[in-house]
PDB file of all heavy atoms in Angstrom:
ATOM      1  N   SER A   1     -54.777 -11.036-141.923  1.00  0.00           N
ATOM      2  CA  SER A   1     -53.328 -11.033-141.719  1.00  0.00           C
ATOM      3  C   SER A   1     -52.667  -9.794-142.319  1.00  0.00           C
ATOM      4  O   SER A   1     -51.472  -9.575-142.105  1.00  0.00           O
ATOM      5  CB  SER A   1     -52.707 -12.290-142.345  1.00  0.00           C
ATOM      6  OG  SER A   1     -52.760 -12.234-143.769  1.00  0.00           O
ATOM      7  N   LEU A   2     -53.423  -8.985-143.044  1.00  0.00           N
ATOM      8  CA  LEU A   2     -52.874  -7.819-143.726  1.00  0.00           C
ATOM      9  C   LEU A   2     -52.920  -6.577-142.839  1.00  0.00           C
ATOM     10  O   LEU A   2     -53.792  -6.442-141.972  1.00  0.00           O
ATOM     11  CB  LEU A   2     -53.650  -7.536-145.016  1.00  0.00           C
ATOM     12  CG  LEU A   2     -53.611  -8.620-146.093  1.00  0.00           C
ATOM     13  CD1 LEU A   2     -54.485  -8.211-147.273  1.00  0.00           C
ATOM     14  CD2 LEU A   2     -52.180  -8.884-146.553  1.00  0.00           C
ATOM     15  N   ILE A   3     -52.026  -5.627-143.083  1.00  0.00           N
ATOM     16  CA  ILE A   3     -52.034  -4.352-142.371  1.00  0.00           C
ATOM     17  C   ILE A   3     -53.324  -3.588-142.639  1.00  0.00           C
ATOM     18  O   ILE A   3     -53.719  -2.718-141.853  1.00  0.00           O
ATOM     19  CB  ILE A   3     -50.793  -3.500-142.757  1.00  0.00           C
ATOM     20  CG1 ILE A   3     -50.638  -2.292-141.830  1.00  0.00           C
ATOM     21  CG2 ILE A   3     -50.868  -3.078-144.219  1.00  0.00           C
ATOM     22  CD1 ILE A   3     -50.372  -2.618-140.383  1.00  0.00           C
ATOM     23  N   ASP A   4     -54.017  -3.937-143.706  1.00  0.00           N
ATOM     24  CA  ASP A   4     -55.287  -3.282-144.038  1.00  0.00           C
ATOM     25  C   ASP A   4     -56.293  -3.362-142.895  1.00  0.00           C
ATOM     26  O   ASP A   4     -57.162  -2.491-142.755  1.00  0.00           O
ATOM     27  CB  ASP A   4     -55.917  -3.921-145.281  1.00  0.00           C
ATOM     28  CG  ASP A   4     -55.025  -3.871-146.505  1.00  0.00           C
ATOM     29  OD1 ASP A   4     -54.008  -3.152-146.473  1.00  0.00           O
ATOM     30  OD2 ASP A   4     -55.343  -4.551-147.492  1.00  0.00           O
ATOM     31  N   VAL A   5     -56.206  -4.400-142.074  1.00  0.00           N
ATOM     32  CA  VAL A   5     -57.176  -4.585-141.002  1.00  0.00           C
ATOM     33  C   VAL A   5     -56.999  -3.556-139.889  1.00  0.00           C
ATOM     34  O   VAL A   5     -57.887  -3.371-139.055  1.00  0.00           O
ATOM     35  CB  VAL A   5     -57.093  -6.028-140.445  1.00  0.00           C
ATOM     36  CG1 VAL A   5     -55.907  -6.198-139.496  1.00  0.00           C
ATOM     37  CG2 VAL A   5     -58.384  -6.422-139.747  1.00  0.00           C
ATOM     38  N   GLN A   6     -55.864  -2.856-139.891  1.00  0.00           N
ATOM     39  CA  GLN A   6     -55.632  -1.865-138.845  1.00  0.00           C
ATOM     40  C   GLN A   6     -56.484  -0.618-139.049  1.00  0.00           C
ATOM     41  O   GLN A   6     -57.306  -0.265-138.204  1.00  0.00           O
ATOM     42  CB  GLN A   6     -54.157  -1.485-138.799  1.00  0.00           C
ATOM     43  CG  GLN A   6     -53.802  -0.531-137.677  1.00  0.00           C
ATOM     44  CD  GLN A   6     -52.301  -0.282-137.641  1.00  0.00           C
ATOM     45  OE1 GLN A   6     -51.841   0.783-138.014  1.00  0.00           O
ATOM     46  NE2 GLN A   6     -51.545  -1.270-137.194  1.00  0.00           N
ATOM     47  N   CYS A   7     -56.277   0.072-140.146  1.00  0.00           N
ATOM     48  CA  CYS A   7     -56.997   1.330-140.395  1.00  0.00           C
ATOM     49  C   CYS A   7     -57.588   1.390-141.801  1.00  0.00           C
ATOM     50  O   CYS A   7     -57.865   2.466-142.306  1.00  0.00           O
ATOM     51  CB  CYS A   7     -56.064   2.524-140.187  1.00  0.00           C
ATOM     52  SG  CYS A   7     -55.600   2.806-138.467  1.00  0.00           S
ATOM     53  N   ASN A   8     -57.731   0.225-142.423  1.00  0.00           N
ATOM     54  CA  ASN A   8     -58.261   0.062-143.772  1.00  0.00           C
ATOM     55  C   ASN A   8     -57.129   0.057-144.797  1.00  0.00           C
ATOM     56  O   ASN A   8     -55.989   0.355-144.481  1.00  0.00           O
ATOM     57  CB  ASN A   8     -59.316   1.118-144.114  1.00  0.00           C
ATOM     58  CG  ASN A   8     -60.467   0.539-144.928  1.00  0.00           C
ATOM     59  OD1 ASN A   8     -60.254  -0.100-145.946  1.00  0.00           O
ATOM     60  ND2 ASN A   8     -61.692   0.772-144.463  1.00  0.00           N
ATOM     61  N   GLY A   9     -57.481  -0.257-146.015  1.00  0.00           N
ATOM     62  CA  GLY A   9     -56.505  -0.386-147.085  1.00  0.00           C
ATOM     63  C   GLY A   9     -56.984  -1.399-148.104  1.00  0.00           C
ATOM     64  O   GLY A   9     -58.020  -2.048-147.929  1.00  0.00           O
ATOM     65  N   TYR A  10     -56.227  -1.534-149.173  1.00  0.00           N
ATOM     66  CA  TYR A  10     -56.563  -2.473-150.249  1.00  0.00           C
ATOM     67  C   TYR A  10     -55.262  -2.973-150.860  1.00  0.00           C
ATOM     68  O   TYR A  10     -54.884  -2.593-151.954  1.00  0.00           O
ATOM     69  CB  TYR A  10     -57.456  -1.784-151.280  1.00  0.00           C
ATOM     70  CG  TYR A  10     -57.907  -2.642-152.439  1.00  0.00           C
ATOM     71  CD1 TYR A  10     -58.187  -3.995-152.267  1.00  0.00           C
ATOM     72  CD2 TYR A  10     -58.069  -2.091-153.703  1.00  0.00           C
ATOM     73  CE1 TYR A  10     -58.607  -4.779-153.327  1.00  0.00           C
ATOM     74  CE2 TYR A  10     -58.491  -2.860-154.774  1.00  0.00           C
ATOM     75  CZ  TYR A  10     -58.754  -4.201-154.574  1.00  0.00           C
ATOM     76  OH  TYR A  10     -59.173  -4.981-155.637  1.00  0.00           O
ATOM     77  N   THR A  11     -54.577  -3.831-150.107  1.00  0.00           N
ATOM     78  CA  THR A  11     -53.262  -4.303-150.522  1.00  0.00           C
ATOM     79  C   THR A  11     -53.300  -4.953-151.901  1.00  0.00           C
ATOM     80  O   THR A  11     -52.395  -4.742-152.722  1.00  0.00           O
ATOM     81  CB  THR A  11     -52.704  -5.286-149.473  1.00  0.00           C
ATOM     82  OG1 THR A  11     -52.398  -4.557-148.274  1.00  0.00           O
ATOM     83  CG2 THR A  11     -51.442  -5.966-149.965  1.00  0.00           C
ATOM     84  N   ASP A  12     -54.337  -5.727-152.177  1.00  0.00           N
ATOM     85  CA  ASP A  12     -54.431  -6.388-153.477  1.00  0.00           C
ATOM     86  C   ASP A  12     -54.523  -5.388-154.625  1.00  0.00           C
ATOM     87  O   ASP A  12     -54.163  -5.705-155.761  1.00  0.00           O
ATOM     88  CB  ASP A  12     -55.643  -7.316-153.517  1.00  0.00           C
ATOM     89  CG  ASP A  12     -55.448  -8.565-152.650  1.00  0.00           C
ATOM     90  OD1 ASP A  12     -54.298  -8.816-152.241  1.00  0.00           O
ATOM     91  OD2 ASP A  12     -56.434  -9.269-152.388  1.00  0.00           O
ATOM     92  N   GLY A  13     -54.987  -4.190-154.326  1.00  0.00           N
ATOM     93  CA  GLY A  13     -55.091  -3.153-155.342  1.00  0.00           C
ATOM     94  C   GLY A  13     -53.960  -2.139-155.281  1.00  0.00           C
ATOM     95  O   GLY A  13     -54.014  -1.113-155.968  1.00  0.00           O
ATOM     96  N   GLY A  14     -52.966  -2.410-154.444  1.00  0.00           N
ATOM     97  CA  GLY A  14     -51.810  -1.527-154.355  1.00  0.00           C
ATOM     98  C   GLY A  14     -51.865  -0.494-153.258  1.00  0.00           C
ATOM     99  O   GLY A  14     -50.929   0.298-153.102  1.00  0.00           O
ATOM    100  N   VAL A  15     -52.939  -0.467-152.479  1.00  0.00           N
ATOM    101  CA  VAL A  15     -53.058   0.473-151.357  1.00  0.00           C
ATOM    102  C   VAL A  15     -52.781  -0.310-150.073  1.00  0.00           C
ATOM    103  O   VAL A  15     -53.673  -0.961-149.528  1.00  0.00           O
ATOM    104  CB  VAL A  15     -54.450   1.130-151.310  1.00  0.00           C
ATOM    105  CG1 VAL A  15     -54.515   2.155-150.176  1.00  0.00           C
ATOM    106  CG2 VAL A  15     -54.796   1.774-152.634  1.00  0.00           C
ATOM    107  N   ILE A  16     -51.548  -0.260-149.619  1.00  0.00           N
ATOM    108  CA  ILE A  16     -51.126  -1.082-148.482  1.00  0.00           C
ATOM    109  C   ILE A  16     -51.382  -0.320-147.187  1.00  0.00           C
ATOM    110  O   ILE A  16     -50.643   0.585-146.810  1.00  0.00           O
ATOM    111  CB  ILE A  16     -49.642  -1.461-148.627  1.00  0.00           C
ATOM    112  CG1 ILE A  16     -49.425  -2.229-149.935  1.00  0.00           C
ATOM    113  CG2 ILE A  16     -49.193  -2.309-147.435  1.00  0.00           C
ATOM    114  CD1 ILE A  16     -47.975  -2.511-150.254  1.00  0.00           C
ATOM    115  N   GLY A  17     -52.464  -0.684-146.526  1.00  0.00           N
ATOM    116  CA  GLY A  17     -52.838  -0.008-145.292  1.00  0.00           C
ATOM    117  C   GLY A  17     -53.263   1.427-145.522  1.00  0.00           C
ATOM    118  O   GLY A  17     -53.608   1.831-146.625  1.00  0.00           O
ATOM    119  N   SER A  18     -53.241   2.191-144.450  1.00  0.00           N
ATOM    120  CA  SER A  18     -53.617   3.603-144.504  1.00  0.00           C
ATOM    121  C   SER A  18     -52.395   4.449-144.175  1.00  0.00           C
ATOM    122  O   SER A  18     -51.262   3.959-144.181  1.00  0.00           O
ATOM    123  CB  SER A  18     -54.772   3.880-143.526  1.00  0.00           C
ATOM    124  OG  SER A  18     -55.280   5.180-143.686  1.00  0.00           O
ATOM    125  N   LYS A  19     -52.630   5.719-143.876  1.00  0.00           N
ATOM    126  CA  LYS A  19     -51.553   6.628-143.493  1.00  0.00           C
ATOM    127  C   LYS A  19     -52.133   7.681-142.560  1.00  0.00           C
ATOM    128  O   LYS A  19     -53.358   7.863-142.485  1.00  0.00           O
ATOM    129  CB  LYS A  19     -50.930   7.285-144.724  1.00  0.00           C
ATOM    130  CG  LYS A  19     -51.901   8.135-145.530  1.00  0.00           C
ATOM    131  CD  LYS A  19     -51.230   8.707-146.776  1.00  0.00           C
ATOM    132  CE  LYS A  19     -52.208   9.563-147.589  1.00  0.00           C
ATOM    133  NZ  LYS A  19     -51.563  10.113-148.802  1.00  0.00           N
ATOM    134  N   PRO A  20     -51.290   8.402-141.824  1.00  0.00           N
ATOM    135  CA  PRO A  20     -51.817   9.401-140.890  1.00  0.00           C
ATOM    136  C   PRO A  20     -52.613  10.500-141.586  1.00  0.00           C
ATOM    137  O   PRO A  20     -52.344  10.861-142.738  1.00  0.00           O
ATOM    138  CB  PRO A  20     -50.550   9.965-140.238  1.00  0.00           C
ATOM    139  CG  PRO A  20     -49.544   8.876-140.368  1.00  0.00           C
ATOM    140  CD  PRO A  20     -49.841   8.228-141.692  1.00  0.00           C
ATOM    141  N   ALA A  21     -53.592  11.014-140.864  1.00  0.00           N
ATOM    142  CA  ALA A  21     -54.345  12.183-141.317  1.00  0.00           C
ATOM    143  C   ALA A  21     -53.631  13.444-140.819  1.00  0.00           C
ATOM    144  O   ALA A  21     -52.871  13.394-139.838  1.00  0.00           O
ATOM    145  CB  ALA A  21     -55.767  12.134-140.766  1.00  0.00           C
ATOM    146  N   PRO A  22     -53.870  14.583-141.454  1.00  0.00           N
ATOM    147  CA  PRO A  22     -53.149  15.799-141.067  1.00  0.00           C
ATOM    148  C   PRO A  22     -53.683  16.490-139.819  1.00  0.00           C
ATOM    149  O   PRO A  22     -53.014  17.359-139.265  1.00  0.00           O
ATOM    150  CB  PRO A  22     -53.298  16.706-142.289  1.00  0.00           C
ATOM    151  CG  PRO A  22     -54.534  16.224-142.968  1.00  0.00           C
ATOM    152  CD  PRO A  22     -54.605  14.751-142.717  1.00  0.00           C
ATOM    153  N   LEU A  23     -54.883  16.121-139.362  1.00  0.00           N
ATOM    154  CA  LEU A  23     -55.511  16.810-138.242  1.00  0.00           C
ATOM    155  C   LEU A  23     -55.859  15.833-137.126  1.00  0.00           C
ATOM    156  O   LEU A  23     -55.912  14.619-137.333  1.00  0.00           O
ATOM    157  CB  LEU A  23     -56.791  17.521-138.696  1.00  0.00           C
ATOM    158  CG  LEU A  23     -56.683  18.552-139.825  1.00  0.00           C
ATOM    159  CD1 LEU A  23     -58.060  19.099-140.153  1.00  0.00           C
ATOM    160  CD2 LEU A  23     -55.729  19.673-139.455  1.00  0.00           C
ATOM    161  N   PHE A  24     -56.132  16.382-135.938  1.00  0.00           N
ATOM    162  CA  PHE A  24     -56.704  15.609-134.846  1.00  0.00           C
ATOM    163  C   PHE A  24     -57.726  16.484-134.136  1.00  0.00           C
ATOM    164  O   PHE A  24     -57.685  17.714-134.218  1.00  0.00           O
ATOM    165  CB  PHE A  24     -55.627  15.111-133.869  1.00  0.00           C
ATOM    166  CG  PHE A  24     -54.754  16.190-133.306  1.00  0.00           C
ATOM    167  CD1 PHE A  24     -55.152  16.931-132.202  1.00  0.00           C
ATOM    168  CD2 PHE A  24     -53.520  16.470-133.882  1.00  0.00           C
ATOM    169  CE1 PHE A  24     -54.341  17.934-131.675  1.00  0.00           C
ATOM    170  CE2 PHE A  24     -52.698  17.463-133.367  1.00  0.00           C
ATOM    171  CZ  PHE A  24     -53.109  18.189-132.262  1.00  0.00           C
ATOM    172  N   ALA A  25     -58.666  15.832-133.456  1.00  0.00           N
ATOM    173  CA  ALA A  25     -59.748  16.553-132.786  1.00  0.00           C
ATOM    174  C   ALA A  25     -59.534  16.558-131.281  1.00  0.00           C
ATOM    175  O   ALA A  25     -59.200  15.517-130.700  1.00  0.00           O
ATOM    176  CB  ALA A  25     -61.086  15.909-133.104  1.00  0.00           C
ATOM    177  N   PRO A  26     -59.735  17.694-130.626  1.00  0.00           N
ATOM    178  CA  PRO A  26     -59.660  17.723-129.166  1.00  0.00           C
ATOM    179  C   PRO A  26     -60.912  17.111-128.545  1.00  0.00           C
ATOM    180  O   PRO A  26     -62.030  17.316-129.038  1.00  0.00           O
ATOM    181  CB  PRO A  26     -59.564  19.215-128.849  1.00  0.00           C
ATOM    182  CG  PRO A  26     -60.247  19.892-130.003  1.00  0.00           C
ATOM    183  CD  PRO A  26     -59.978  19.037-131.204  1.00  0.00           C
ATOM    184  N   VAL A  27     -60.719  16.352-127.472  1.00  0.00           N
ATOM    185  CA  VAL A  27     -61.838  15.738-126.767  1.00  0.00           C
ATOM    186  C   VAL A  27     -61.447  15.602-125.302  1.00  0.00           C
ATOM    187  O   VAL A  27     -60.292  15.336-124.974  1.00  0.00           O
ATOM    188  CB  VAL A  27     -62.202  14.364-127.384  1.00  0.00           C
ATOM    189  CG1 VAL A  27     -61.004  13.425-127.371  1.00  0.00           C
ATOM    190  CG2 VAL A  27     -63.388  13.729-126.678  1.00  0.00           C
ATOM    191  N   ALA A  28     -62.402  15.805-124.434  1.00  0.00           N
ATOM    192  CA  ALA A  28     -62.157  15.667-122.993  1.00  0.00           C
ATOM    193  C   ALA A  28     -62.410  14.230-122.559  1.00  0.00           C
ATOM    194  O   ALA A  28     -63.330  13.563-123.067  1.00  0.00           O
ATOM    195  CB  ALA A  28     -63.060  16.614-122.208  1.00  0.00           C
ATOM    196  N   ALA A  29     -61.601  13.722-121.659  1.00  0.00           N
ATOM    197  CA  ALA A  29     -61.879  12.423-121.063  1.00  0.00           C
ATOM    198  C   ALA A  29     -63.286  12.435-120.479  1.00  0.00           C
ATOM    199  O   ALA A  29     -63.701  13.403-119.839  1.00  0.00           O
ATOM    200  CB  ALA A  29     -60.856  12.112-119.978  1.00  0.00           C
ATOM    201  N   GLY A  30     -64.031  11.371-120.727  1.00  0.00           N
ATOM    202  CA  GLY A  30     -65.415  11.294-120.275  1.00  0.00           C
ATOM    203  C   GLY A  30     -66.431  11.825-121.269  1.00  0.00           C
ATOM    204  O   GLY A  30     -67.638  11.719-121.034  1.00  0.00           O
ATOM    205  N   GLN A  31     -65.963  12.377-122.385  1.00  0.00           N
ATOM    206  CA  GLN A  31     -66.865  12.955-123.379  1.00  0.00           C
ATOM    207  C   GLN A  31     -67.334  11.889-124.367  1.00  0.00           C
ATOM    208  O   GLN A  31     -66.614  10.938-124.680  1.00  0.00           O
ATOM    209  CB  GLN A  31     -66.152  14.085-124.129  1.00  0.00           C
ATOM    210  CG  GLN A  31     -67.067  14.940-124.991  1.00  0.00           C
ATOM    211  CD  GLN A  31     -66.360  16.199-125.490  1.00  0.00           C
ATOM    212  OE1 GLN A  31     -65.148  16.351-125.368  1.00  0.00           O
ATOM    213  NE2 GLN A  31     -67.125  17.108-126.044  1.00  0.00           N
ATOM    214  N   ASP A  32     -68.556  12.048-124.863  1.00  0.00           N
ATOM    215  CA  ASP A  32     -69.092  11.157-125.882  1.00  0.00           C
ATOM    216  C   ASP A  32     -68.562  11.545-127.259  1.00  0.00           C
ATOM    217  O   ASP A  32     -68.365  12.733-127.556  1.00  0.00           O
ATOM    218  CB  ASP A  32     -70.619  11.222-125.923  1.00  0.00           C
ATOM    219  CG  ASP A  32     -71.271  10.496-124.761  1.00  0.00           C
ATOM    220  OD1 ASP A  32     -70.574   9.746-124.048  1.00  0.00           O
ATOM    221  OD2 ASP A  32     -72.488  10.694-124.561  1.00  0.00           O
ATOM    222  N   ILE A  33     -68.359  10.538-128.087  1.00  0.00           N
ATOM    223  CA  ILE A  33     -68.035  10.737-129.499  1.00  0.00           C
ATOM    224  C   ILE A  33     -69.082  10.006-130.322  1.00  0.00           C
ATOM    225  O   ILE A  33     -69.389   8.836-130.058  1.00  0.00           O
ATOM    226  CB  ILE A  33     -66.623  10.226-129.835  1.00  0.00           C
ATOM    227  CG1 ILE A  33     -65.568  11.056-129.089  1.00  0.00           C
ATOM    228  CG2 ILE A  33     -66.369  10.261-131.342  1.00  0.00           C
ATOM    229  CD1 ILE A  33     -64.143  10.654-129.382  1.00  0.00           C
TER     230      ILE A  33
END
């Protein structure tokens, strides 16, 4: 039920969910990751 399940986090320890990263990676549709 916690936001932690979205992108990780540790609400009980004071880390409520995650936050955006500063970068993103280019990828073509149909490409393997």
Side-chain angles (χ1 to χ4, degrees):
S1 70
L2 298 177
I3 191 64
D4 302 348
V5 79
Q6 184 176 107
C7 290
N8 219 308
Y10 181 35
T11 291
D12 289 347
V15 183
I16 301 173
S18 188
K19 61 183 180 180
L23 303 178
F24 55 84
V27 57
Q31 192 169 11
D32 285 348
I33 295 182

